[in-house]
PDB file of all heavy atoms in Angstrom:
ATOM      1  N   ILE A  12      10.406  12.241   6.021  1.00  0.00           N
ATOM      2  CA  ILE A  12      11.569  11.525   5.527  1.00  0.00           C
ATOM      3  C   ILE A  12      11.018  10.380   4.556  1.00  0.00           C
ATOM      4  O   ILE A  12      10.402   9.438   5.084  1.00  0.00           O
ATOM      5  CB  ILE A  12      12.426  10.925   6.637  1.00  0.00           C
ATOM      6  CG1 ILE A  12      12.690  11.980   7.667  1.00  0.00           C
ATOM      7  CG2 ILE A  12      13.694  10.265   6.050  1.00  0.00           C
ATOM      8  CD1 ILE A  12      13.455  13.202   7.200  1.00  0.00           C
ATOM      9  N   GLY A  13      11.266  10.468   3.281  1.00  0.00           N
ATOM     10  CA  GLY A  13      10.828   9.458   2.283  1.00  0.00           C
ATOM     11  C   GLY A  13       9.701  10.064   1.491  1.00  0.00           C
ATOM     12  O   GLY A  13       8.719  10.571   2.030  1.00  0.00           O
ATOM     13  N   ALA A  14       9.797   9.936   0.159  1.00  0.00           N
ATOM     14  CA  ALA A  14       8.783  10.435  -0.738  1.00  0.00           C
ATOM     15  C   ALA A  14       8.244   9.323  -1.621  1.00  0.00           C
ATOM     16  O   ALA A  14       8.142   9.447  -2.805  1.00  0.00           O
ATOM     17  CB  ALA A  14       9.305  11.603  -1.564  1.00  0.00           C
ATOM     18  N   GLY A  15       7.919   8.170  -0.985  1.00  0.00           N
ATOM     19  CA  GLY A  15       7.135   7.211  -1.675  1.00  0.00           C
ATOM     20  C   GLY A  15       5.648   7.834  -1.744  1.00  0.00           C
ATOM     21  O   GLY A  15       5.499   8.972  -1.351  1.00  0.00           O
ATOM     22  N   ILE A  16       4.701   7.005  -2.073  1.00  0.00           N
ATOM     23  CA  ILE A  16       3.367   7.609  -2.204  1.00  0.00           C
ATOM     24  C   ILE A  16       2.924   8.107  -0.843  1.00  0.00           C
ATOM     25  O   ILE A  16       2.332   9.215  -0.763  1.00  0.00           O
ATOM     26  CB  ILE A  16       2.371   6.546  -2.725  1.00  0.00           C
ATOM     27  CG1 ILE A  16       2.785   6.214  -4.241  1.00  0.00           C
ATOM     28  CG2 ILE A  16       0.962   7.097  -2.688  1.00  0.00           C
ATOM     29  CD1 ILE A  16       1.940   5.175  -4.835  1.00  0.00           C
ATOM     30  N   ALA A  17       3.182   7.363   0.238  1.00  0.00           N
ATOM     31  CA  ALA A  17       2.755   7.787   1.587  1.00  0.00           C
ATOM     32  C   ALA A  17       3.424   9.073   2.000  1.00  0.00           C
ATOM     33  O   ALA A  17       2.784  10.017   2.489  1.00  0.00           O
ATOM     34  CB  ALA A  17       2.985   6.649   2.564  1.00  0.00           C
ATOM     35  N   GLY A  18       4.749   9.145   1.750  1.00  0.00           N
ATOM     36  CA  GLY A  18       5.494  10.382   2.188  1.00  0.00           C
ATOM     37  C   GLY A  18       5.017  11.615   1.504  1.00  0.00           C
ATOM     38  O   GLY A  18       4.862  12.647   2.001  1.00  0.00           O
ATOM     39  N   VAL A  35      12.154  14.762   1.938  1.00  0.00           N
ATOM     40  CA  VAL A  35      13.441  14.369   1.243  1.00  0.00           C
ATOM     41  C   VAL A  35      13.424  12.954   0.854  1.00  0.00           C
ATOM     42  O   VAL A  35      12.776  12.110   1.527  1.00  0.00           O
ATOM     43  CB  VAL A  35      14.681  14.659   2.173  1.00  0.00           C
ATOM     44  CG1 VAL A  35      14.825  16.151   2.445  1.00  0.00           C
ATOM     45  CG2 VAL A  35      14.615  13.760   3.455  1.00  0.00           C
ATOM     46  N   ASP A  36      14.107  12.658  -0.281  1.00  0.00           N
ATOM     47  CA  ASP A  36      14.147  11.204  -0.709  1.00  0.00           C
ATOM     48  C   ASP A  36      15.416  11.057  -1.564  1.00  0.00           C
ATOM     49  O   ASP A  36      15.696  11.881  -2.403  1.00  0.00           O
ATOM     50  CB  ASP A  36      12.941  10.852  -1.513  1.00  0.00           C
ATOM     51  CG  ASP A  36      12.726   9.400  -1.727  1.00  0.00           C
ATOM     52  OD1 ASP A  36      13.680   8.724  -2.321  1.00  0.00           O
ATOM     53  OD2 ASP A  36      11.763   8.796  -1.196  1.00  0.00           O
ATOM     54  N   PRO A  37      16.177   9.963  -1.355  1.00  0.00           N
ATOM     55  CA  PRO A  37      17.390   9.812  -2.202  1.00  0.00           C
ATOM     56  C   PRO A  37      17.174   9.490  -3.622  1.00  0.00           C
ATOM     57  O   PRO A  37      18.038   9.664  -4.445  1.00  0.00           O
ATOM     58  CB  PRO A  37      18.099   8.616  -1.473  1.00  0.00           C
ATOM     59  CG  PRO A  37      17.092   7.966  -0.647  1.00  0.00           C
ATOM     60  CD  PRO A  37      15.982   8.936  -0.391  1.00  0.00           C
ATOM     61  N   ARG A  48       3.582  -1.333 -10.288  1.00  0.00           N
ATOM     62  CA  ARG A  48       2.443  -1.761  -9.447  1.00  0.00           C
ATOM     63  C   ARG A  48       1.240  -0.841  -9.626  1.00  0.00           C
ATOM     64  O   ARG A  48       1.389   0.268 -10.167  1.00  0.00           O
ATOM     65  CB  ARG A  48       2.835  -1.771  -7.967  1.00  0.00           C
ATOM     66  CG  ARG A  48       3.792  -2.838  -7.568  1.00  0.00           C
ATOM     67  CD  ARG A  48       4.306  -2.662  -6.150  1.00  0.00           C
ATOM     68  NE  ARG A  48       4.923  -1.440  -5.933  1.00  0.00           N
ATOM     69  CZ  ARG A  48       5.321  -0.980  -4.746  1.00  0.00           C
ATOM     70  NH1 ARG A  48       5.033  -1.712  -3.610  1.00  0.00           N
ATOM     71  NH2 ARG A  48       5.895   0.140  -4.541  1.00  0.00           N
ATOM     72  N   SER A  49       0.114  -1.318  -9.224  1.00  0.00           N
ATOM     73  CA  SER A  49      -1.052  -0.374  -9.148  1.00  0.00           C
ATOM     74  C   SER A  49      -1.574  -0.454  -7.718  1.00  0.00           C
ATOM     75  O   SER A  49      -1.381  -1.442  -7.011  1.00  0.00           O
ATOM     76  CB  SER A  49      -2.065  -0.738 -10.205  1.00  0.00           C
ATOM     77  OG  SER A  49      -2.618  -1.982  -9.956  1.00  0.00           O
ATOM     78  N   THR A  50      -2.352   0.535  -7.360  1.00  0.00           N
ATOM     79  CA  THR A  50      -2.878   0.567  -5.982  1.00  0.00           C
ATOM     80  C   THR A  50      -4.437   0.724  -6.066  1.00  0.00           C
ATOM     81  O   THR A  50      -4.885   1.587  -6.745  1.00  0.00           O
ATOM     82  CB  THR A  50      -2.286   1.733  -5.134  1.00  0.00           C
ATOM     83  OG1 THR A  50      -0.881   1.456  -5.046  1.00  0.00           O
ATOM     84  CG2 THR A  50      -2.855   1.759  -3.769  1.00  0.00           C
ATOM     85  N   ALA A  51      -5.094  -0.148  -5.356  1.00  0.00           N
ATOM     86  CA  ALA A  51      -6.523  -0.032  -5.232  1.00  0.00           C
ATOM     87  C   ALA A  51      -6.827   0.822  -4.023  1.00  0.00           C
ATOM     88  O   ALA A  51      -6.535   0.367  -2.880  1.00  0.00           O
ATOM     89  CB  ALA A  51      -7.159  -1.411  -5.095  1.00  0.00           C
ATOM     90  N   ARG A 114       2.202   8.762  -8.567  1.00  0.00           N
ATOM     91  CA  ARG A 114       3.382   9.525  -8.197  1.00  0.00           C
ATOM     92  C   ARG A 114       3.518  10.770  -9.042  1.00  0.00           C
ATOM     93  O   ARG A 114       3.966  11.867  -8.556  1.00  0.00           O
ATOM     94  CB  ARG A 114       4.645   8.592  -8.369  1.00  0.00           C
ATOM     95  CG  ARG A 114       4.768   7.585  -7.235  1.00  0.00           C
ATOM     96  CD  ARG A 114       5.784   6.557  -7.659  1.00  0.00           C
ATOM     97  NE  ARG A 114       6.016   5.574  -6.593  1.00  0.00           N
ATOM     98  CZ  ARG A 114       7.097   5.605  -5.795  1.00  0.00           C
ATOM     99  NH1 ARG A 114       7.982   6.570  -5.963  1.00  0.00           N
ATOM    100  NH2 ARG A 114       7.275   4.714  -4.924  1.00  0.00           N
ATOM    101  N   LYS A 134      19.109  12.462   1.231  1.00  0.00           N
ATOM    102  CA  LYS A 134      18.622  11.537   2.253  1.00  0.00           C
ATOM    103  C   LYS A 134      18.916  11.966   3.675  1.00  0.00           C
ATOM    104  O   LYS A 134      19.867  12.750   3.906  1.00  0.00           O
ATOM    105  CB  LYS A 134      19.084  10.181   1.985  1.00  0.00           C
ATOM    106  CG  LYS A 134      20.587   9.901   2.130  1.00  0.00           C
ATOM    107  CD  LYS A 134      20.975   8.456   1.889  1.00  0.00           C
ATOM    108  CE  LYS A 134      22.436   8.285   1.951  1.00  0.00           C
ATOM    109  NZ  LYS A 134      22.824   6.928   1.653  1.00  0.00           N
ATOM    110  N   LEU A 135      18.222  11.322   4.624  1.00  0.00           N
ATOM    111  CA  LEU A 135      18.487  11.539   5.996  1.00  0.00           C
ATOM    112  C   LEU A 135      19.833  10.798   6.362  1.00  0.00           C
ATOM    113  O   LEU A 135      20.010   9.629   6.035  1.00  0.00           O
ATOM    114  CB  LEU A 135      17.392  10.941   6.865  1.00  0.00           C
ATOM    115  CG  LEU A 135      17.587  11.036   8.347  1.00  0.00           C
ATOM    116  CD1 LEU A 135      17.129  12.388   8.885  1.00  0.00           C
ATOM    117  CD2 LEU A 135      16.684   9.949   9.034  1.00  0.00           C
ATOM    118  N   ALA A 163       8.523   8.158   6.761  1.00  0.00           N
ATOM    119  CA  ALA A 163       7.816   7.499   5.663  1.00  0.00           C
ATOM    120  C   ALA A 163       8.897   6.865   4.778  1.00  0.00           C
ATOM    121  O   ALA A 163       8.749   6.889   3.492  1.00  0.00           O
ATOM    122  CB  ALA A 163       6.992   8.538   4.880  1.00  0.00           C
ATOM    123  N   ASP A 164       9.989   6.413   5.367  1.00  0.00           N
ATOM    124  CA  ASP A 164      11.159   5.964   4.564  1.00  0.00           C
ATOM    125  C   ASP A 164      11.197   4.462   4.389  1.00  0.00           C
ATOM    126  O   ASP A 164      12.280   3.849   4.331  1.00  0.00           O
ATOM    127  CB  ASP A 164      12.459   6.511   5.188  1.00  0.00           C
ATOM    128  CG  ASP A 164      12.656   6.224   6.658  1.00  0.00           C
ATOM    129  OD1 ASP A 164      11.640   5.864   7.287  1.00  0.00           O
ATOM    130  OD2 ASP A 164      13.779   6.429   7.141  1.00  0.00           O
ATOM    131  N   GLY A 165       9.992   3.792   4.382  1.00  0.00           N
ATOM    132  CA  GLY A 165       9.885   2.440   3.907  1.00  0.00           C
ATOM    133  C   GLY A 165      10.297   1.349   4.941  1.00  0.00           C
ATOM    134  O   GLY A 165      10.613   1.634   6.070  1.00  0.00           O
ATOM    135  N   LYS A 169      15.371   4.263   8.169  1.00  0.00           N
ATOM    136  CA  LYS A 169      16.536   4.854   8.811  1.00  0.00           C
ATOM    137  C   LYS A 169      16.133   5.604  10.065  1.00  0.00           C
ATOM    138  O   LYS A 169      16.745   5.521  11.114  1.00  0.00           O
ATOM    139  CB  LYS A 169      17.302   5.807   7.824  1.00  0.00           C
ATOM    140  CG  LYS A 169      18.704   6.098   8.196  1.00  0.00           C
ATOM    141  CD  LYS A 169      19.614   4.953   7.784  1.00  0.00           C
ATOM    142  CE  LYS A 169      20.990   5.203   8.340  1.00  0.00           C
ATOM    143  NZ  LYS A 169      21.810   3.995   8.461  1.00  0.00           N
ATOM    144  N   VAL A 189       4.862  -8.856 -10.674  1.00  0.00           N
ATOM    145  CA  VAL A 189       3.894  -7.828 -10.905  1.00  0.00           C
ATOM    146  C   VAL A 189       4.014  -7.447 -12.437  1.00  0.00           C
ATOM    147  O   VAL A 189       5.080  -7.200 -12.974  1.00  0.00           O
ATOM    148  CB  VAL A 189       4.232  -6.612 -10.043  1.00  0.00           C
ATOM    149  CG1 VAL A 189       3.208  -5.474 -10.363  1.00  0.00           C
ATOM    150  CG2 VAL A 189       4.138  -6.996  -8.565  1.00  0.00           C
ATOM    151  N   VAL A 229      -0.934  -9.381  -9.845  1.00  0.00           N
ATOM    152  CA  VAL A 229       0.025  -9.633  -8.801  1.00  0.00           C
ATOM    153  C   VAL A 229       0.050 -11.167  -8.629  1.00  0.00           C
ATOM    154  O   VAL A 229      -0.973 -11.735  -8.282  1.00  0.00           O
ATOM    155  CB  VAL A 229      -0.315  -8.964  -7.467  1.00  0.00           C
ATOM    156  CG1 VAL A 229       0.774  -9.378  -6.358  1.00  0.00           C
ATOM    157  CG2 VAL A 229      -0.332  -7.495  -7.667  1.00  0.00           C
ATOM    158  N   TRP A 272       8.856  -8.559  -6.234  1.00  0.00           N
ATOM    159  CA  TRP A 272       8.902  -8.022  -4.905  1.00  0.00           C
ATOM    160  C   TRP A 272       8.954  -9.125  -3.883  1.00  0.00           C
ATOM    161  O   TRP A 272       8.157 -10.020  -3.993  1.00  0.00           O
ATOM    162  CB  TRP A 272       7.600  -7.159  -4.607  1.00  0.00           C
ATOM    163  CG  TRP A 272       7.586  -5.928  -5.434  1.00  0.00           C
ATOM    164  CD1 TRP A 272       7.036  -5.843  -6.702  1.00  0.00           C
ATOM    165  CD2 TRP A 272       7.982  -4.614  -5.082  1.00  0.00           C
ATOM    166  NE1 TRP A 272       7.162  -4.534  -7.176  1.00  0.00           N
ATOM    167  CE2 TRP A 272       7.696  -3.763  -6.170  1.00  0.00           C
ATOM    168  CE3 TRP A 272       8.505  -4.110  -3.899  1.00  0.00           C
ATOM    169  CZ2 TRP A 272       8.032  -2.392  -6.161  1.00  0.00           C
ATOM    170  CZ3 TRP A 272       8.742  -2.726  -3.913  1.00  0.00           C
ATOM    171  CH2 TRP A 272       8.512  -1.961  -4.988  1.00  0.00           C
ATOM    172  N   ALA A 291       3.234   4.339   7.531  1.00  0.00           N
ATOM    173  CA  ALA A 291       3.319   3.532   6.306  1.00  0.00           C
ATOM    174  C   ALA A 291       4.293   2.316   6.465  1.00  0.00           C
ATOM    175  O   ALA A 291       4.309   1.743   7.554  1.00  0.00           O
ATOM    176  CB  ALA A 291       3.698   4.478   5.157  1.00  0.00           C
ATOM    177  N   GLU A 292       5.011   2.004   5.459  1.00  0.00           N
ATOM    178  CA  GLU A 292       5.762   0.743   5.484  1.00  0.00           C
ATOM    179  C   GLU A 292       6.895   0.849   6.550  1.00  0.00           C
ATOM    180  O   GLU A 292       7.471  -0.172   6.953  1.00  0.00           O
ATOM    181  CB  GLU A 292       6.315   0.345   4.132  1.00  0.00           C
ATOM    182  CG  GLU A 292       5.261  -0.210   3.219  1.00  0.00           C
ATOM    183  CD  GLU A 292       5.670  -1.266   2.222  1.00  0.00           C
ATOM    184  OE1 GLU A 292       6.857  -1.332   1.918  1.00  0.00           O
ATOM    185  OE2 GLU A 292       4.796  -2.047   1.831  1.00  0.00           O
ATOM    186  N   PRO A 299       0.546  -8.270  -0.240  1.00  0.00           N
ATOM    187  CA  PRO A 299      -0.502  -7.550  -1.006  1.00  0.00           C
ATOM    188  C   PRO A 299      -1.728  -8.403  -1.228  1.00  0.00           C
ATOM    189  O   PRO A 299      -1.993  -8.916  -2.246  1.00  0.00           O
ATOM    190  CB  PRO A 299       0.226  -7.240  -2.320  1.00  0.00           C
ATOM    191  CG  PRO A 299       1.299  -8.242  -2.452  1.00  0.00           C
ATOM    192  CD  PRO A 299       1.664  -8.634  -1.102  1.00  0.00           C
ATOM    193  N   ALA A 302      -5.697  -5.378  -0.571  1.00  0.00           N
ATOM    194  CA  ALA A 302      -5.368  -3.942  -0.778  1.00  0.00           C
ATOM    195  C   ALA A 302      -5.315  -3.249   0.514  1.00  0.00           C
ATOM    196  O   ALA A 302      -5.809  -2.109   0.664  1.00  0.00           O
ATOM    197  CB  ALA A 302      -6.364  -3.268  -1.701  1.00  0.00           C
ATOM    198  N   GLN A 303      -4.565  -3.787   1.520  1.00  0.00           N
ATOM    199  CA  GLN A 303      -4.540  -3.117   2.875  1.00  0.00           C
ATOM    200  C   GLN A 303      -3.351  -2.164   3.007  1.00  0.00           C
ATOM    201  O   GLN A 303      -3.463  -1.170   3.711  1.00  0.00           O
ATOM    202  CB  GLN A 303      -4.470  -4.188   3.992  1.00  0.00           C
ATOM    203  CG  GLN A 303      -5.724  -5.015   4.031  1.00  0.00           C
ATOM    204  CD  GLN A 303      -6.957  -4.230   4.495  1.00  0.00           C
ATOM    205  OE1 GLN A 303      -6.957  -3.512   5.492  1.00  0.00           O
ATOM    206  NE2 GLN A 303      -8.014  -4.330   3.715  1.00  0.00           N
ATOM    207  N   GLY A 304      -2.190  -2.417   2.353  1.00  0.00           N
ATOM    208  CA  GLY A 304      -0.882  -1.730   2.695  1.00  0.00           C
ATOM    209  C   GLY A 304      -1.021  -0.247   2.674  1.00  0.00           C
ATOM    210  O   GLY A 304      -0.942   0.424   3.712  1.00  0.00           O
ATOM    211  N   LEU A 305      -1.148   0.329   1.536  1.00  0.00           N
ATOM    212  CA  LEU A 305      -1.122   1.827   1.404  1.00  0.00           C
ATOM    213  C   LEU A 305      -2.365   2.453   2.018  1.00  0.00           C
ATOM    214  O   LEU A 305      -2.366   3.547   2.564  1.00  0.00           O
ATOM    215  CB  LEU A 305      -0.999   2.240  -0.065  1.00  0.00           C
ATOM    216  CG  LEU A 305      -0.696   3.690  -0.283  1.00  0.00           C
ATOM    217  CD1 LEU A 305       0.634   4.109   0.322  1.00  0.00           C
ATOM    218  CD2 LEU A 305      -0.648   4.007  -1.779  1.00  0.00           C
ATOM    219  N   ASN A 306      -3.485   1.620   2.021  1.00  0.00           N
ATOM    220  CA  ASN A 306      -4.711   2.128   2.609  1.00  0.00           C
ATOM    221  C   ASN A 306      -4.551   2.311   4.116  1.00  0.00           C
ATOM    222  O   ASN A 306      -5.047   3.304   4.727  1.00  0.00           O
ATOM    223  CB  ASN A 306      -5.920   1.187   2.294  1.00  0.00           C
ATOM    224  CG  ASN A 306      -6.363   1.423   0.860  1.00  0.00           C
ATOM    225  OD1 ASN A 306      -7.112   2.366   0.518  1.00  0.00           O
ATOM    226  ND2 ASN A 306      -5.839   0.597  -0.057  1.00  0.00           N
TER     227      ASN A 306
HETATM  228  C1  LIG B 401       3.105  -6.117  -5.325  1.00  0.00           C
HETATM  229  C2  LIG B 401       2.481  -5.135  -4.362  1.00  0.00           C
HETATM  230  C3  LIG B 401       1.153  -4.665  -4.629  1.00  0.00           C
HETATM  231  C4  LIG B 401       0.568  -3.786  -3.728  1.00  0.00           C
HETATM  232  N1  LIG B 401      -0.745  -3.360  -3.923  1.00  0.00           N
HETATM  233  C5  LIG B 401      -1.376  -2.599  -3.042  1.00  0.00           C
HETATM  234  C6  LIG B 401      -2.711  -2.165  -3.233  1.00  0.00           C
HETATM  235  O1  LIG B 401      -3.425  -2.528  -4.181  1.00  0.00           O
HETATM  236  N2  LIG B 401      -3.323  -1.337  -2.252  1.00  0.00           N
HETATM  237  C7  LIG B 401      -2.597  -0.919  -1.191  1.00  0.00           C
HETATM  238  O2  LIG B 401      -3.134  -0.148  -0.305  1.00  0.00           O
HETATM  239  N3  LIG B 401      -1.262  -1.250  -1.041  1.00  0.00           N
HETATM  240  C8  LIG B 401      -0.644  -2.034  -1.953  1.00  0.00           C
HETATM  241  N4  LIG B 401       0.618  -2.416  -1.778  1.00  0.00           N
HETATM  242  C9  LIG B 401       1.380  -1.802  -0.676  1.00  0.00           C
HETATM  243  C10 LIG B 401       1.887  -0.450  -1.151  1.00  0.00           C
HETATM  244  O3  LIG B 401       2.466  -0.456  -2.449  1.00  0.00           O
HETATM  245  C11 LIG B 401       2.932   0.008  -0.139  1.00  0.00           C
HETATM  246  O4  LIG B 401       2.314   0.110   1.043  1.00  0.00           O
HETATM  247  C12 LIG B 401       3.448   1.406  -0.536  1.00  0.00           C
HETATM  248  O5  LIG B 401       3.831   1.499  -1.850  1.00  0.00           O
HETATM  249  C13 LIG B 401       4.567   1.680   0.380  1.00  0.00           C
HETATM  250  O6  LIG B 401       4.667   2.963   0.407  1.00  0.00           O
HETATM  251  P1  LIG B 401       5.724   3.718   1.361  1.00  0.00           P
HETATM  252  O7  LIG B 401       5.537   5.125   0.935  1.00  0.00           O
HETATM  253  O8  LIG B 401       5.459   3.364   2.748  1.00  0.00           O
HETATM  254  O9  LIG B 401       7.141   3.100   1.126  1.00  0.00           O
HETATM  255  P2  LIG B 401       8.131   3.190  -0.175  1.00  0.00           P
HETATM  256  O10 LIG B 401       7.311   3.300  -1.456  1.00  0.00           O
HETATM  257  O11 LIG B 401       9.070   2.112  -0.021  1.00  0.00           O
HETATM  258  O12 LIG B 401       8.801   4.655   0.042  1.00  0.00           O
HETATM  259  C14 LIG B 401       9.815   4.823   0.988  1.00  0.00           C
HETATM  260  C15 LIG B 401      10.699   5.916   0.419  1.00  0.00           C
HETATM  261  O13 LIG B 401      11.668   6.316   1.427  1.00  0.00           O
HETATM  262  C16 LIG B 401      12.854   6.587   0.766  1.00  0.00           C
HETATM  263  N5  LIG B 401      14.012   6.502   1.637  1.00  0.00           N
HETATM  264  C17 LIG B 401      14.650   5.382   2.113  1.00  0.00           C
HETATM  265  N6  LIG B 401      15.679   5.728   2.885  1.00  0.00           N
HETATM  266  C18 LIG B 401      15.683   7.077   3.065  1.00  0.00           C
HETATM  267  C19 LIG B 401      16.463   8.005   3.814  1.00  0.00           C
HETATM  268  N7  LIG B 401      17.574   7.631   4.554  1.00  0.00           N
HETATM  269  N8  LIG B 401      16.161   9.273   3.725  1.00  0.00           N
HETATM  270  C20 LIG B 401      15.084   9.763   2.967  1.00  0.00           C
HETATM  271  N9  LIG B 401      14.318   8.865   2.253  1.00  0.00           N
HETATM  272  C21 LIG B 401      14.628   7.528   2.271  1.00  0.00           C
HETATM  273  C22 LIG B 401      12.971   5.588  -0.451  1.00  0.00           C
HETATM  274  O14 LIG B 401      13.789   6.079  -1.470  1.00  0.00           O
HETATM  275  C23 LIG B 401      11.467   5.598  -0.821  1.00  0.00           C
HETATM  276  O15 LIG B 401      11.131   6.458  -1.909  1.00  0.00           O
HETATM  277  C24 LIG B 401       1.265  -3.273  -2.629  1.00  0.00           C
HETATM  278  C25 LIG B 401       2.673  -3.708  -2.380  1.00  0.00           C
HETATM  279  C26 LIG B 401       3.223  -4.623  -3.282  1.00  0.00           C
HETATM  280  C27 LIG B 401       4.648  -5.108  -3.017  1.00  0.00           C
END
Side-chain angles (χ1 to χ4, degrees):
I12 310 302
I16 295 176
V35 297
D36 196 297
R48 292 173 297 171
S49 66
T50 297
R114 284 167 177 259
K134 67 178 177 184
L135 176 81
D164 52 345
K169 200 78 190 158
V189 179
V229 178
W272 292 84
E292 288 212 336
Q303 293 295 309
L305 192 60
N306 284 279

